[in-house]
Amino acid sequence: MQLTQVLTYALRRLLQAVPVVILIMVGTFLLLKLAPGDTVDALVGDMGGADAAYIARLRAEYGLDQPVWVQLGRYMAKLIQFDFGWSFVYEQPVAAILWERLGTTLMLMGTSLSLAFSIGVGLGAIAARRAYSLTDNAISTLGLIFYATPSFFLSLMMILLFSVKLGWLPVSGLSDVAAFYTGWDHVIDVVLHLIMPTAALSLIYLSFYLRLMRASVLEVADLDFVRTARAKGAGETRLMIHHIMRNALLPVVTLLGLQFSTVLGGSVVVETIFALPGLGQLAYQSVIQRDMNMLMGIIFLCAIIVVIVNFLTDLLYARLDSRIALK
Amino acid sequence: MITTSRSACGSAWGWLLAGAAVSALAGPAAAQEPRHGGTAIIHMPSEQRILNPALRASTGVYNITGKIMEPLIDKSYDGPVGVLATDWSSTDDGLHITVNLREGVNWHDGEPFTCDDVAFSAMELWKPLLNYSSTLQQYLESVDCTDPHTAVFNYSQPMPLDLFVAAMPDLGHPVPKHLYEGTDIMRNEHNTAPVGTGPFKFVEYKRGQYVIAGRNDDYWRGKEYPYLDRIVWRFIPDKSAAAAAIEAGEIHESGFNGVSMADIERFSKMDGFDVGTQGYENNVAHSTVEFNHRNPILADLKVRQAIYHGLDIDYAIKTIMRGYAKPGRGPIPSAGGANYTDDVTTYAYDPELAKKMLDEAGHPEGPDGIRFKLRHRPAPWGEYTQLWAEYFAQAMKEIGIEVEILTNDAPGFLNGVYRDHDFDTANGWHQFRSDPAVSTMVWLRSGSPAGTPWSNQFGWQSDEMDRMIDEAQAELDPDQRAADYHAIQKLAMEEIPVIFAIEHPFISVTSQKLHNHHNTPRWNSSSWYDLWLEK
């Protein structure tokens, strides 16, 4: 894999991504406009009412009195300059809020996915090597339970046990606000706050990887090249890590790539229950509030992340299986 | 029911005090001596975003900003009390209201509070920009400062002093002129970092997480106030998680039904928590049934009466509100003071009578047992409105009316009912804001343009009602004004343009570590200068 080759490939993918992103943005804008009501309705609902003149004034100020295509044109013209606009709900620039929220979500999703991926792959491989043994049954059953437990239920049960009954972990939030920790105390405080949400979020992903990895390893282990490698005298460990795992990982990596794209949307429930200020919760609130600029900003961010992750997944493919070429 | 739960609360506190007296006699543990210091942590189910009560009239905003910014007048259980105002009077023609302002009060940035701030706030924010207030102050012409601590409000139409005073706790928060003058008021940075005169100073607003306010050492009530060092409001959207946080001691108070009714009932039976409706006398709401009178079936009074007879209000109060409510008696709740009367027509639960009336109105049961169908929009304002809608559908089924529930979110509901009039019946709730003129009358007065939420968009118009409302609003004599509102209430219960079915205050769950809590009729919105926290 030459560097120039990768760069040309990246450039081509980037050019291809531009019309895709524009299409997504226009489509979403129009789709969101189909929902009944706008952000002024939501704001007035929050306030407990306002008179007609007040409502008309707000609407004019937000540019919502213009025809939809004018609004769309104005938005796209701004977006081309990477100006995400102003959130009328938060009374702040959209970019500032997105930036603030992105950190929390990336931290939560990053730890959950890496935890789920490493443990899931490990357990899946062990289960496959000892297929149909007691260990395999135990691991598979566990996977099934994780898979079948909804995250909101798991979250609330964990809160009940670890916070209310045992008092070991804080119920919700990102840190203990009233404690004013600094330095390492703050880090430890944040870690303690993230244990339950990470667990709640990673278990379902873990079960995905576990089941997929188990099936994949079982399949690869029967292939001819594994028999050849064994005939040539490769040890079991080398066989497993070098020959089987590397090939069995392909479908799991595909799934990881797909799921990473759901980073922004996948954690609405967990973020809401644990009161974590992440993008999932923000997206949900923005729909309720009809906060167009915010929602468009989130979708733009999502679109970009999907494009990047797909690109990285393709690179990883080429690395794992040299038969796949970057074209 | 309200009085029962209130007296239950009162007696619980009485018991606490008695217990304290005993322990004070018994030993050195003087537990009830207010303690200085500590951080009170308060639950907020939703984020407020704008922290300026002179721009957003909403209890959620007051819950936070009430500690930082103070109104001219607040409410106590003994009536109105001056906060930034010391006294007030009106000329006989009701056109000029003079308010004397407190001297020696400083804004949190050290500048003195004067009449200029009041005049600026009234003319630049309260009249043009503040929801609800723009109706109240529509005839406000100017505010004169005869001296730095005397403000004269000049009106072009008579303004009843009663109404002015009743509105001030919610709609009378001055902002510092020197920080707002010459700026874009809607975009002013202090809208999210408020500067006020209150016992607590704004410290930090972390979006999606919390707001912190810290002690104001220069508070005008004296060095001993406030008792608390700090207040933190935490945003926890999930009601179950909030209940767990209260139970784990991470939260000291959750107001405005911030947790589910099941949890409220659970907390009321647990040690260490005060649960009740005290402190919400100023924040009573009605659960309603709203009719679209454009539908000829519903335009028939007999049908509306039959529907009222078909509703078992006591059952709904018991199962949905768990007893923390009472039957409604028209547009003014019993918390409305002198303007309230219970001498009105009522409609007892009687499904047989309801069926008979529907037969007489020309709507016999069809072969499938159904007389007619209604499309019903429930407001998505949480537990009460959802369950009340389900109960309504169920109760109507029993008298042969099929109700189809169209579920929608807030913008969908507000547009569907108040702009597009695309409904037969709807249910929501409407908060009473201490005076009928600035709250429930808009439900009955015709003439609001389509798209005004919580107004008469029901296609119901009565010249008599319109005239009575206008007269009451301009009436200066308090006794005559009360009589006018009684008459309006009677007419509303006879004509039933809207069923004000149930009145309910909000409910709060408070840790007993907090003291002096819920001691005013709008406690969650008040300044909490005397609130203290046990170790």
Side-chain angles (χ1 to χ4, degrees):
Chain A
M1 217 169 19
Q2 297 292 317
L3 187 66
T4 45
Q5 196 190 351
V6 173
L7 281 180
T8 3
Y9 179 68
L11 191 70
R12 206 178 58 240
R13 287 289 292 265
L14 188 72
L15 286 176
Q16 285 170 349
V18 171
V20 172
V21 171
I22 291 179
L23 214 65
I24 290 174
M25 297 311 282
V26 174
T28 334
F29 190 93
L30 297 176
L31 204 62
L32 291 175
K33 282 288 166 196
L34 284 179
D38 57 25
T39 190
V40 173
D41 293 312
L43 278 177
V44 169
D46 263 10
M47 282 185 244
D51 54 80
Y54 180 86
I55 292 171
R57 201 183 48 72
L58 271 188
R59 208 159 262 148
E61 193 183 336
Y62 297 169
L64 292 168
D65 52 346
Q66 303 289 324
V68 171
W69 60 270
V70 175
Q71 293 181 36
L72 176 66
R74 283 182 182 172
Y75 184 80
M76 293 309 283
K78 274 192 187 164
L79 191 66
I80 285 170
Q81 307 159 45
F82 288 97
D83 176 1
F84 291 119
W86 185 270
S87 162
F88 299 115
V89 174
Y90 285 86
E91 293 293 352
Q92 271 195 317
V94 168
I97 301 167
L98 285 182
W99 189 242
E100 208 178 276
R101 299 287 181 111
L102 190 64
T104 312
T105 298
L106 283 183
M107 187 156 65
L108 184 63
M109 289 303 286
T111 32
S112 303
L113 274 186
S114 36
L115 213 71
F117 185 76
S118 42
I119 299 178
V121 163
L123 284 179
I126 294 172
R129 287 312 281 168
R130 313 218 170 121
Y132 312 112
S133 69
L134 191 66
T135 323
D136 177 30
N137 283 338
I139 292 177
S140 297
T141 313
L142 207 65
L144 195 68
I145 291 172
F146 291 163
Y147 182 73
T149 314
S151 56
F152 76 89
F153 178 74
L154 196 67
S155 305
L156 289 174
M157 289 303 114
M158 279 198 293
I159 290 179
L160 196 63
L161 181 63
F162 294 112
S163 304
V164 177
K165 295 288 171 223
L166 297 172
W168 291 351
L169 293 172
V171 176
S172 63
L174 200 55
S175 60
D176 188 349
V177 188
F180 298 100
Y181 290 125
T182 49
W184 281 107
D185 287 341
H186 176 68
V187 174
I188 292 168
D189 185 42
V190 171
V191 168
L192 282 179
H193 276 83
L194 282 181
I195 290 178
M196 285 197 292
T198 309
L201 203 56
S202 58
L203 288 182
I204 182 127
Y205 290 117
L206 192 152
S207 65
F208 285 143
Y209 299 132
L210 190 160
R211 291 163 67 84
L212 195 63
M213 188 65 187
R214 181 179 176 277
S216 184
V217 166
L218 278 179
E219 192 188 316
V220 174
D222 279 346
L223 293 182
D224 289 343
F225 72 88
V226 176
R227 195 175 308 126
T228 313
R230 189 174 278 132
K232 285 166 88 177
E236 275 302 305
T237 317
R238 183 179 161 77
L239 195 69
M240 185 66 195
I241 290 172
H242 213 79
H243 296 278
I244 300 179
M245 289 270 272
R246 186 164 168 179
N247 286 289
L249 268 179
L250 275 180
V252 186
V253 169
T254 315
L255 190 70
L256 180 69
L258 274 177
Q259 278 178 344
F260 204 88
S261 319
T262 64
V263 158
L264 302 182
S267 45
V268 179
V269 171
V270 169
E271 281 177 11
T272 305
I273 291 180
F274 289 101
L276 296 172
L279 282 172
Q281 206 197 350
L282 184 69
Y284 174 70
Q285 283 299 325
S286 303
V287 174
I288 301 286
Q289 300 281 343
R290 303 284 193 275
D291 191 351
M292 281 292 284
N293 287 351
M294 182 65 81
L295 215 48
M296 295 292 285
I298 295 172
I299 286 164
F300 184 75
L301 207 63
C302 283
I304 298 290
I305 287 189
V306 170
V307 167
I308 293 175
V309 168
N310 279 347
F311 172 67
L312 291 178
T313 317
D314 286 349
L315 283 189
L316 200 59
Y317 271 6
R319 179 78 190 82
L320 285 171
D321 186 344
S322 39
R323 286 171 301 176
I324 299 174
L326 295 176
K327 272 191 251 177
Chain B
M1 288 316 282
I2 297 172
T3 41
T4 354
S5 51
R6 253 182 72 183
S7 62
C9 264
S11 66
W13 289 344
W15 182 84
L16 245 175
L17 285 168
V22 170
S23 65
L25 285 175
Q32 297 305 310
E33 188 64 31
R35 181 179 82 98
H36 279 94
T39 301
I41 305 177
I42 309 300
H43 168 226
M44 297 284 292
S46 68
E47 196 163 350
Q48 290 310 319
R49 303 175 187 102
I50 294 276
L51 302 179
N52 184 350
L55 281 181
R56 294 274 159 90
S58 122
T59 46
V61 174
Y62 305 142
N63 198 343
I64 295 175
T65 57
K67 327 300 170 258
I68 301 165
M69 300 174 74
E70 292 172 304
L72 295 179
I73 301 167
D74 202 352
K75 260 188 142 179
S76 74
Y77 282 122
D78 304 321
V81 284
V83 181
L84 292 181
T86 50
D87 50 81
W88 42 86
S89 59
S90 169
T91 52
D92 290 339
D93 57 8
L95 293 176
H96 308 281
I97 292 178
T98 303
V99 178
N100 290 316
L101 303 173
R102 195 171 295 281
E103 297 184 31
V105 176
N106 289 331
W107 295 101
H108 291 156
D109 61 0
E111 295 286 322
F113 161 76
T114 66
C115 174
D116 285 341
D117 298 309
V118 175
F120 175 82
S121 305
M123 295 313 293
E124 304 296 326
L125 286 91
W126 302 351
K127 183 178 156 82
L129 299 178
L130 179 60
N131 54 322
Y132 280 106
S133 177
S134 45
T135 317
L136 176 79
Q137 305 287 12
Q138 59 181 322
Y139 300 118
L140 177 65
E141 293 292 303
S142 62
V143 178
D144 293 334
C145 293
T146 50
D147 70 63
H149 294 99
T150 307
V152 181
F153 289 72
N154 301 311
Y155 290 91
S156 60
Q157 301 270 332
M159 163 66 90
L161 186 62
D162 268 10
L163 170 58
F164 181 87
V165 171
M168 278 300 110
D170 280 352
L171 305 177
H173 292 82
V175 299
K177 180 185 180 186
H178 62 281
L179 298 178
Y180 275 86
E181 193 177 28
T183 67
D184 178 355
I185 290 173
M186 295 295 283
R187 294 272 171 285
N188 191 296
E189 56 177 328
H190 297 291
N191 292 340
T192 49
V195 173
T197 58
F200 297 92
K201 290 181 178 183
F202 172 80
V203 175
E204 190 188 10
Y205 176 8
K206 193 93 176 157
R207 280 172 183 72
Q209 294 190 61
Y210 55 80
V211 174
I212 303 179
R215 188 177 197 274
N216 173 13
D217 294 326
D218 185 32
Y219 188 47
W220 58 267
R221 279 185 214 264
K223 292 284 175 216
E224 70 267 36
Y225 296 118
Y227 291 121
L228 292 169
D229 280 343
R230 214 174 283 115
I231 301 175
V232 174
W233 293 267
R234 282 185 56 191
F235 307 124
I236 304 178
D238 188 79
K239 287 189 169 191
S240 312
I246 295 168
E247 205 175 340
E250 285 183 29
I251 301 270
H252 294 119
E253 196 247 4
S254 175
F256 293 103
N257 296 44
V259 297
S260 69
M261 286 312 293
D263 278 322
I264 283 177
E265 209 174 19
R266 200 165 56 86
F267 280 120
S268 70
K269 291 174 187 145
M270 276 166 70
D271 289 337
F273 299 98
D274 289 328
V275 175
T277 59
Q278 174 141 352
Y280 291 104
E281 290 76 3
N282 200 49
N283 299 113
V284 173
H286 280 112
S287 274
T288 57
V289 175
E290 296 148 39
F291 300 106
N292 191 347
H293 296 257
R294 295 168 192 88
N295 179 335
I297 298 176
L298 297 173
D300 182 353
L301 176 62
K302 200 142 200 173
V303 172
R304 300 200 298 274
Q305 287 171 336
I307 288 178
Y308 213 151
H309 279 301
L311 292 170
D312 188 352
I313 306 284
D314 290 332
Y315 170 81
I317 290 174
K318 209 168 75 195
T319 50
I320 301 174
M321 289 88 185
R322 320 261 170 157
Y324 293 100
K326 58 200 241 179
R329 292 287 178 261
I332 299 168
S334 59
N339 294 329
Y340 167 81
T341 176
D342 58 4
D343 177 22
V344 293
T345 318
T346 55
Y347 302 86
Y349 175 58
D350 189 345
E352 290 314 313
L353 178 63
K355 285 181 195 167
K356 204 172 128 236
M357 288 172 84
L358 288 171
D359 285 337
E360 286 167 10
H363 305 289
E365 276 186 26
D368 49 358
I370 292 171
R371 301 169 194 273
F372 53 86
K373 290 182 185 178
L374 296 174
R375 291 166 68 249
H376 181 86
R377 282 193 190 271
W381 314 142
E383 211 176 334
Y384 281 3
T385 48
Q386 277 165 8
L387 293 176
W388 174 234
E390 279 164 32
Y391 171 70
F392 175 70
Q394 187 187 321
M396 289 304 101
K397 183 123 200 161
E398 273 169 38
I399 56 170
I401 302 173
E402 186 166 299
V403 174
E404 181 199 353
I405 293 183
L406 312 166
T407 305
N408 37 209
D409 67 358
F413 170 78
L414 294 176
N415 274 324
V417 176
Y418 298 108
R419 193 189 66 195
D420 303 334
H421 309 140
D422 175 27
F423 71 108
D424 293 318
T425 48
N427 79 290
W429 65 4
H430 189 67
Q431 218 171 304
F432 182 72
R433 294 168 184 254
S434 62
D435 194 283
V438 283
S439 51
T440 37
M441 287 304 112
V442 289
W443 279 55
L444 305 173
R445 179 76 173 82
S446 69
S448 285
T452 313
W454 292 285
S455 68
N456 178 359
Q457 298 296 331
F458 312 123
W460 183 78
Q461 200 269 333
S462 151
D463 290 335
E464 193 188 1
M465 182 62 96
D466 289 353
R467 185 184 49 76
M468 288 164 78
I469 291 173
D470 294 346
E471 277 176 15
Q473 181 151 5
E475 178 58 57
L476 295 174
D477 174 44
D479 293 333
Q480 184 54 45
R481 198 162 180 263
D484 287 356
Y485 280 119
H486 296 169
I488 288 173
Q489 222 181 317
K490 279 178 191 160
L491 182 62
M493 283 304 278
E494 274 161 27
E495 292 289 326
I496 342 178
V498 173
I499 298 182
F500 294 91
I502 298 171
E503 73 164 80
H504 34 72
F506 291 90
I507 307 168
S508 59
V509 178
T510 317
S511 161
Q512 285 175 352
K513 283 188 174 172
L514 280 184
H515 294 263
N516 286 345
H517 66 83
H518 297 93
N519 56 3
T520 76
R522 57 190 291 280
W523 185 77
N524 270 90
S525 304
S526 71
S527 78
W528 296 3
Y529 70 91
D530 59 347
L531 181 67
W532 63 276
L533 183 70
E534 216 174 274
K535 256 211 160 71

